[in-house]
């Protein structure tokens, strides 16, 4: 990779924290509370997107006919926050951050979630100060797969999109990173392994397998999946 690639931009959900799987567990609990089964395929397809892609609360409300979607969302949020209190960053996250800091490589977060669903957990993990830039759905009109989050992250980092390495766990995220012109490392998890990652430059089974020194010292044409 060119030595000009000096910034790392990480997705949050499913990459820094295992929130996607936790949300699945929360939604399953919520649906079963109302004697319904969660449409698993719809949830998997929507990973990396927003409620505009698939809104489980509107879906469950329509099935029940007696509970408002906003009330269901509040119930899910309360349970999610309670369960998140026991969570830690995914394997490899702390080491990647530490190695980037040793090399004075700037770090950023680019998330399709809202700030309130990202920053409190960075604080919980003790990682907020590691990221000089955090951009979320609150900062852009279009979230992933649009490139806006990555373009804004690059701008706030004071660099060009082609000089950053993006880490993503979903097909939508990979498309966003590549549309912005970034080099993209895909790290699928149990819910996204069926996504299309063909556009990614590198694919890892876990962030724990990332060798930052190797990543920063190779030219893109020399990188192999």
């Amino acid at each position: 990779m060119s030595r000009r690639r000096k910034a790392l931009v990480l997705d949050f959900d499913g990459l820094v924290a295992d929130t996607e799987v936790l949300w699945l567990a929360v939604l399953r609990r919520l649906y079963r509370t109302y004697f319904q089964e969660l449409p698993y395929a719809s949830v998997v397809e929507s990973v990396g997107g927003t409620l505009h892609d698939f809104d489980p609360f509107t879906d469950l409300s329509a099935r029940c006919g007696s509970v408002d979607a906003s009330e269901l969302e509040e119930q899910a949020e309360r349970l999610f926050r309670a369960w998140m209190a026991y969570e830690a960053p995914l394997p490899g996250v702390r080491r990647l951050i530490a190695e980037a800091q040793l090399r004075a490589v700037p770090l950023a977060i680019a998330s399709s979630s809202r700030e309130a669903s990202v920053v409190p957990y960075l604080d919980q993990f003790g990682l907020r100060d590691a990221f000089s830039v955090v951009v979320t759905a609150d900062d852009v009109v279009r979230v992933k797969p649009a490139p806006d989050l990555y373009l804004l992250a690059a701008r706030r980092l004071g660099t060009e999109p082609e000089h950053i390495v993006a880490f993503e766990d979903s097909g939508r995220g990979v498309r966003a990173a590549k549309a912005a012109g970034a080099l993209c490392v895909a790290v699928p998890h149990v819910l996204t392994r069926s996504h299309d990652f063909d556009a990614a430059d590198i694919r890892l089974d876990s962030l724990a397998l990332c060798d930052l020194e190797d990543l920063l010292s190779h030219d893109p044409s020399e990188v192999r999946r």
Side-chain angles (χ1 to χ4, degrees), residues 1-133:
M1 176 183 299
S2 167
R3 291 188 180 276
R4 292 189 304 164
R5 293 188 184 274
K6 295 294 186 180
L8 307 183
V9 181
L10 283 66
D11 180 36
F12 181 77
D13 294 298
L15 197 288
V16 172
D18 203 15
T19 52
E20 305 287 9
V21 174
L22 191 62
W23 258 117
L24 177 67
V26 167
L27 291 175
R28 275 181 168 167
R29 167 73 68 85
L30 184 68
Y31 269 68
R32 288 173 181 175
T33 297
Y34 292 93
F35 306 101
Q36 300 291 327
E37 284 298 316
L38 178 70
Y40 180 83
S42 297
V43 174
V44 170
E45 178 61 28
S46 67
V47 171
T50 69
L51 291 180
H52 294 296
D53 301 295
F54 169 68
D55 186 339
F57 311 114
T58 299
D59 175 68
L60 182 56
S61 177
R63 295 185 188 206
C64 295
S66 60
V67 187
D68 188 73
S70 61
E71 180 182 339
L72 292 169
E73 186 171 3
E74 289 175 7
Q75 292 178 34
E77 287 280 2
R78 285 196 299 271
L79 184 57
F80 179 79
R81 287 193 296 270
W83 286 0
M84 269 298 290
Y86 300 99
E87 295 299 307
L90 282 164
V93 170
R94 291 192 187 278
R95 177 168 60 82
L96 178 64
I97 290 171
E99 291 182 348
Q101 291 175 323
L102 283 173
R103 293 166 174 77
V105 177
L107 289 155
I109 292 287
S111 173
S112 289
S113 294
R114 296 199 174 276
E115 181 178 332
S117 298
V118 175
V119 172
Y121 301 117
L122 290 176
D123 287 331
Q124 174 183 318
F125 298 156
L127 298 177
R128 177 62 185 91
D129 291 343
F131 295 95
S132 57
V133 169

Side-chain angles (χ1 to χ4, degrees), residues 184-201:
C184 186
V185 179
V187 191
H189 54 73
V190 65
L191 295 184
T192 60
R193 288 172 189 156
S194 62
H195 286 196
D196 182 0
F197 291 103
D198 286 347
D201 299 285

